[in-house]
Amino acid sequence: MSSATEYPESAATASRTLKGLDARLVSCRACPRLVAWREETAAVKRAAFRDWEYWGRPVPGFGPSTASLVITGLAPAAHGANRTGRMFTGDPSGDLLFATLHELGLTSRPTATHRDDGLELYGVRVTAPVRCAPPANLPTTGERDTCRPWAVREWELLRPTARSLVVLGGFGWQATLPALRQAGWSVPRPRPPFGHGARTTLEPLDGSGRPLTVFGCYHVSRRNVSAGRLTAAMLREVLAEAAHTAGLPVLRPGAA
């Protein structure tokens, strides 16, 4: 039986499907600081959510196992996904992300409030390089690296269908590119720099399969949106281009 620190590598490697990976992920206790924080937050709660039973565990990816477009952020929010148990669900970042995806015809509804709200993603999977809510929304580099086996295995399992990736924020960019290399794509050295609108195409290391096109986008955080650094139009433009690259049909703004 593996120790807590060995668990991400052994459990991720043993997973043969995304469903199996997600089931093993939620039992992870490899990072003591993150375990303490996610559980303390779930016990103390925010006053507005005092009637909620918080998830308080690692948060799995959300979306079909055959997704051609993947969106990755930073980590679960303490009172968002750490509360609801679903990526980008229950916080302002998710409000903007899912509303924009819905405008493009990529979700069944524009809002995401809880795991059983009926939201479906069409050809899209949402994930993160760190699966537990970190204090101050900032995981350490050690926590990022400890969590990486989950991301690597998720990408290995998504590789047959994934065609494009939108990375929200610079931390996600730096955390995700090494995972993509381990999962079988060729990442240039030096690594492509992050920026809003950045775009790079990664070829498969073994020469088989299709390339993965990676798009950079400012994070959908409340701070970025309030400061005007990221607007709904900017987000829509990146997501629409990524969806087109992934081969997904996209609605025009204002289309029924």
Side-chain angles (χ1 to χ4, degrees), residues 28-175:
C28 188
R29 302 183 65 83
C31 300
R33 189 181 77 113
L34 298 188
V35 171
W37 176 251
R38 80 192 190 204
E39 293 180 356
E40 177 186 351
T41 303
V44 175
K45 305 182 181 182
R46 179 174 283 173
F49 306 122
R50 61 182 178 273
D51 295 331
W52 274 78
E53 181 179 346
Y54 274 53
W55 175 257
R57 290 176 280 170
V59 181
F62 169 51
S65 61
T66 56
S68 57
L69 167 60
V70 182
I71 301 170
T72 188
L74 166 63
H79 302 283
N82 187 56
R83 170 173 60 92
T84 64
R86 196 173 70 189
M87 287 293 180
F88 283 102
T89 298
D91 64 62
S93 296
D95 292 344
L96 175 60
L97 177 63
F98 289 121
T100 306
L101 287 171
H102 185 69
E103 286 181 22
L104 297 173
L106 299 174
T107 71
S108 62
R109 50 183 290 162
T111 58
T113 55
H114 56 90
R115 290 193 307 282
D116 299 318
D117 60 10
L119 175 66
E120 294 181 59
L121 306 186
Y122 303 140
V124 179
R125 184 171 174 90
V126 182
T127 187
V130 175
R131 304 308 183 98
C132 294
N137 292 322
L138 190 62
T140 67
T141 55
E143 290 162 349
R144 175 201 66 191
D145 294 346
T146 298
C147 207
R148 185 172 294 155
W150 299 115
V152 171
R153 187 59 182 148
E154 184 174 36
W155 277 109
E156 288 174 342
L157 293 167
L158 286 168
R159 187 174 165 184
T161 59
R163 299 292 174 260
S164 67
L165 163 66
V166 174
V167 183
L168 301 172
F171 183 98
W173 186 269
Q174 293 301 321

Side-chain angles (χ1 to χ4, degrees), residues 159-236:
R159 187 174 165 184
T161 59
R163 299 292 174 260
S164 67
L165 163 66
V166 174
V167 183
L168 301 172
F171 183 98
W173 186 269
Q174 293 301 321
T176 300
L177 290 179
L180 292 174
R181 181 173 179 81
Q182 286 183 243
W185 282 279
S186 178
V187 177
R189 293 180 178 172
R191 294 174 191 160
F194 172 78
H196 184 82
R199 175 173 177 163
T200 187
T201 299
L202 309 181
E203 298 291 337
L205 280 167
D206 61 6
S208 66
R210 296 185 183 180
L212 179 73
T213 304
V214 184
F215 297 82
C217 180
Y218 290 143
H219 197 280
V220 288
S221 66
R222 177 181 289 176
R223 178 181 299 179
N224 280 346
V225 174
S226 298
R229 192 178 190 214
L230 179 70
T231 65
M234 291 167 64
L235 176 63
R236 186 185 308 113

